[in-house]
Structure formats: structure tokens, C-alpha cells
Amino acid sequence: MNTTPRRRPLHGAEPEEAERLGLAALLPPPPVPGLDPDREMLLKEALLHKADFPEPRGSLAPRASRPHARRRLVLRVMAPAAACALAIGGIVAENLVDTPGHQAPAAPGDDAARAPEAAGLLDRIALAAAAQRQPAVRADQYVYVESKVAYAAQSAAGGSLALAPVHTRQVWLSADGSRPGLLREEGRPDTPLGADDAPVYALDGPGATPRPTTLSKGPSISDPTHQYVASLPTDPVALLELVRGETRGQGWSPGSDPDQRAFAAIGDLLAETWAPPQVSAALYKAAAKIPGVTVVRSATDATGREGIAVARTTHGRQTQWVFDRSTYAFLGERTVLTEAGEAGPAGTVVGTSAVLAKAAADRAGEVPAGHG
């Protein structure tokens, strides 16, 4: 005997259809597939948002459905990004400024804001310098430096400074200072440097006119030998302290900016000596500690090589150290007027150089092999 109750036919249904529906009603309901965890979380969040409840942690909802979460996300991401921009040496800031529509002239007093960018760039330059391989220079050898230079001069009648044509400059400096060096420039007679026999001359910088001098009292920041440069501290703080101490005198104007004296002295060591890699790195790190150092995003050396520059401005003149953008190799120096005056309009280049070669030579006047 069939004890299963019979369902009443649906109102308005045909007998066959009613029978089919009745039989289907006797079967157990089909299983409902469960939701995977992610889908379940999405549905819960949708319900919570409609109820204006706080959303659960670990949310997987799309960003568009979570306006409040977007603001928190920006804050969480931007804070580490700002820290990274400082840590990598301002390269992020540099690329942003170079983007069309972002470039803006530096405002007066903007040095403090740009100081981290310059310090970061100098740190990267220091790392590149420390990684260079350089052969040792014997005490009985000479450091040979070849460059292209041009410096401005004023005519006897006065007026604006006029930049002389770029010409080749070669210098041989005794590694230990025990023998005379030599300066050779196009269109000028050879000049002995640092010899014991009078007359002898000394150089106060790459663009300076050789001046008569007496016997040297020993190597210094302003009158270095290769051995002296190689013995400089590799701690940037100690090195900068030494540079500041020695540039208070020795041919520097007592009234000049002490920070600029230090910056110029380090620039001369970079351009006119062949410092060992670790010393070169320390010089760059020491320069990063000088107040007022900034970045010039495009500058050229005396041969037209374009690069990025580290610069410092004082008394209406800006001294720029130009570096290759890819390798961070030191290319040369440039001095530019930043204020209009008797010397010329702002932007006038009054000095430029380009370092072409540095090597060890066995004799003064001898061009090392591969550099002729």
C-alpha cells in the first residue's frame, strides 16, 4: 500500500503536467553549492556596506566599492614611497622634474629643499667612484692629467668677460713631490711646476695663471701631491674638517665664503689629481655635507658632453661639477654667472673644462701610452 500522500494538482495545470510536477515534488531538493571563501567575503562586505558597518579585516572587495579604504591605501603607500625617494638619492625627484609640465625654476632660498637631492646624487656618484679600479702610481712617477679648458678674461678697456677658445691643457705632477712637474698649454711656453730651482711656479686651480712661488712647505689641499691625496682620510666628516682647516689660508681670500672655498678645493682635487677610488668617494661624500650644494639637471663640459651637475652658488657665480648621467664619471667643471652685472648677463659661462685622461707617466712631458 502506498502511504505517500498525493499532492493536489496545481491550479490551471494540465493533467500530465500536474502529474510531472507532483512526481518532482516527491524527490529530495537538489543540493545548493557552497560559496568559495573569497566570494563569501565579497557578499558579506556588500551586506555590511549597505548596513554601514565597518568592513572586516583582510577585505578582498574591489577598490571602487571601498571609497574609505582607498584613502587609507594612499597614505600607506605614499609614506614608504617618500622614504624611498630620499634613500635612492633624489633620482625619483629628478625624473619627476624632467617630466614635461613639472619643470620649474628654483625659487630663492630653495637650497634647503633641494639639499637631499644633491646629497643623494653625490652618494650615488661616490658609490660609482669607489667601484672603479685604478692602478697604483709609484712614488717615482708622475700623475698625468689632460683636459680641454677655456676661461674668460676682461679686456683692458673693461666690459663683459669674454670666454677664450677651448684649448688643450696637459699637466705632469710628481707623485711624491720630489721632482719638478710640468704644465703645457696650447699657445704658451711650458711651465715648470714645483721645482727647487728658481723660477718656479704653482697653480691655484685648473684655470689659474701659474704664479711664482718659493720652496714648498709641504703638500697640502691647495698644493697636493699624489701621495698626499692618497693619504687623505676616507671618513667624509674628518675629510671635510681637514679641507675647511687648510682652505682658511694658502692663497684663498680671507673674506671669501668658507663653504665655497671648501667646495672649490674639493673640485680642484677631483679635476687635477688622480685620487684613489676610496678617497674620491670620500671627497664626494664630504661635498654632500657642504651647505648650499644643489643639482643642475643639464650641464655641458668644455667639449660639449652633456650631463648632470652638482653645483654651488656664491656672489653671483655658480660652480658646477658635471657628471655622466649613466656612469657618474666626472666630466669637468663649469662656472656660470647667476646674476647680471659688469661681467655679463646671467647665464654667461666664464669658465669651463673637460677631463680627457688621467694616467701615470714615467717622465714629465711624456704622454702615457694610449693617451697621445
Side-chain angles (χ1 to χ4, degrees):
M1 176 172 137
N2 188 357
T3 60
T4 304
R6 297 180 62 87
R7 301 291 181 100
R8 293 177 59 188
L10 293 180
H11 178 71
E14 295 294 332
E16 294 82 359
E17 179 67 14
E19 183 68 19
R20 186 184 65 81
L21 293 174
L23 292 174
L26 298 175
L27 298 175
V32 178
L35 297 177
D36 62 82
D38 289 350
R39 180 63 179 168
E40 184 177 3
M41 179 68 75
L42 291 174
L43 291 176
K44 286 182 179 179
E45 284 188 343
L47 292 173
L48 288 172
H49 272 295
K50 290 182 179 180
D52 200 23
F53 290 147
E55 60 190 61
R57 298 181 64 182
S59 171
L60 296 175
R63 300 294 181 245
S65 67
R66 298 191 295 152
H68 301 292
R70 178 182 301 227
R71 183 176 302 172
R72 287 195 295 271
L73 177 64
V74 170
L75 293 177
R76 288 173 186 158
V77 172
M78 288 302 294
C84 290
L86 294 178
I88 65 174
I91 299 303
V92 171
E94 173 193 336
N95 291 339
L96 178 63
V97 174
D98 283 342
T99 302
H102 288 81
Q103 182 122 9
D110 195 32
D111 289 355
R114 296 177 63 186
E117 182 184 2
L121 176 59
L122 282 165
D123 280 344
R124 294 178 69 86
I125 293 170
L127 288 173
Q132 295 297 313
R133 293 187 177 183
Q134 179 178 316
V137 181
R138 301 192 312 267
D140 62 340
Q141 288 185 305
Y142 293 81
V143 170
Y144 169 78
V145 180
E146 180 181 345
S147 55
K148 293 282 188 179
V149 300
Y151 296 95
Q154 197 170 39
S155 66
S160 299
L161 293 172
L163 192 67
V166 174
H167 61 276
T168 301
R169 182 178 185 276
Q170 297 167 293
V171 63
W172 291 261
L173 299 173
S174 173
D176 63 1
S178 64
R179 289 168 306 284
L182 181 67
L183 171 66
R184 179 174 294 164
E185 293 194 65
E186 289 183 55
R188 301 180 183 179
D190 289 356
T191 304
L193 301 172
D196 291 337
D197 299 329
V200 295
Y201 299 84
L203 291 174
D204 293 329
T209 301
R211 59 178 175 83
T213 185
T214 57
L215 291 176
S216 174
K217 296 180 181 179
S220 64
I221 292 294
S222 300
D223 187 19
T225 64
H226 178 75
Q227 286 189 340
Y228 174 81
V229 173
S231 70
L232 289 174
T234 55
D235 175 71
V237 175
L239 180 55
L240 182 57
E241 183 179 355
L242 174 64
V243 171
R244 289 187 184 280
E246 292 208 13
T247 54
R248 290 194 183 99
Q250 298 186 3
W252 295 90
S253 172
S256 60
D257 177 1
D259 290 326
Q260 186 64 18
R261 291 201 304 265
F263 187 78
I266 292 175
D268 289 346
L269 291 173
L270 295 171
E272 284 288 278
T273 68
W274 201 23
Q278 293 301 324
V279 174
S280 292
L283 288 170
Y284 292 125
K285 291 181 179 180
K289 300 181 179 299
I290 299 175
V293 178
T294 59
V295 172
V296 176
R297 293 168 181 81
S298 181
T300 56
D301 67 8
T303 62
R305 294 179 298 188
E306 193 273 341
I308 190 169
V310 173
R312 193 174 189 281
T313 305
T314 184
H315 301 307
R317 296 193 178 201
Q318 184 179 80
T319 302
Q320 303 173 356
W321 303 342
V322 186
F323 298 90
D324 184 276
R325 291 183 182 276
S326 301
T327 66
Y328 296 121
F330 181 83
L331 299 180
E333 291 183 297
R334 192 168 72 154
T335 303
V336 182
L337 298 181
T338 58
E339 299 174 2
E342 294 182 358
T348 300
V349 178
V350 297
T352 181
S353 69
V355 177
L356 303 182
K358 290 185 178 183
D362 292 329
R363 289 180 295 276
E366 175 188 81
V367 177
H371 300 286

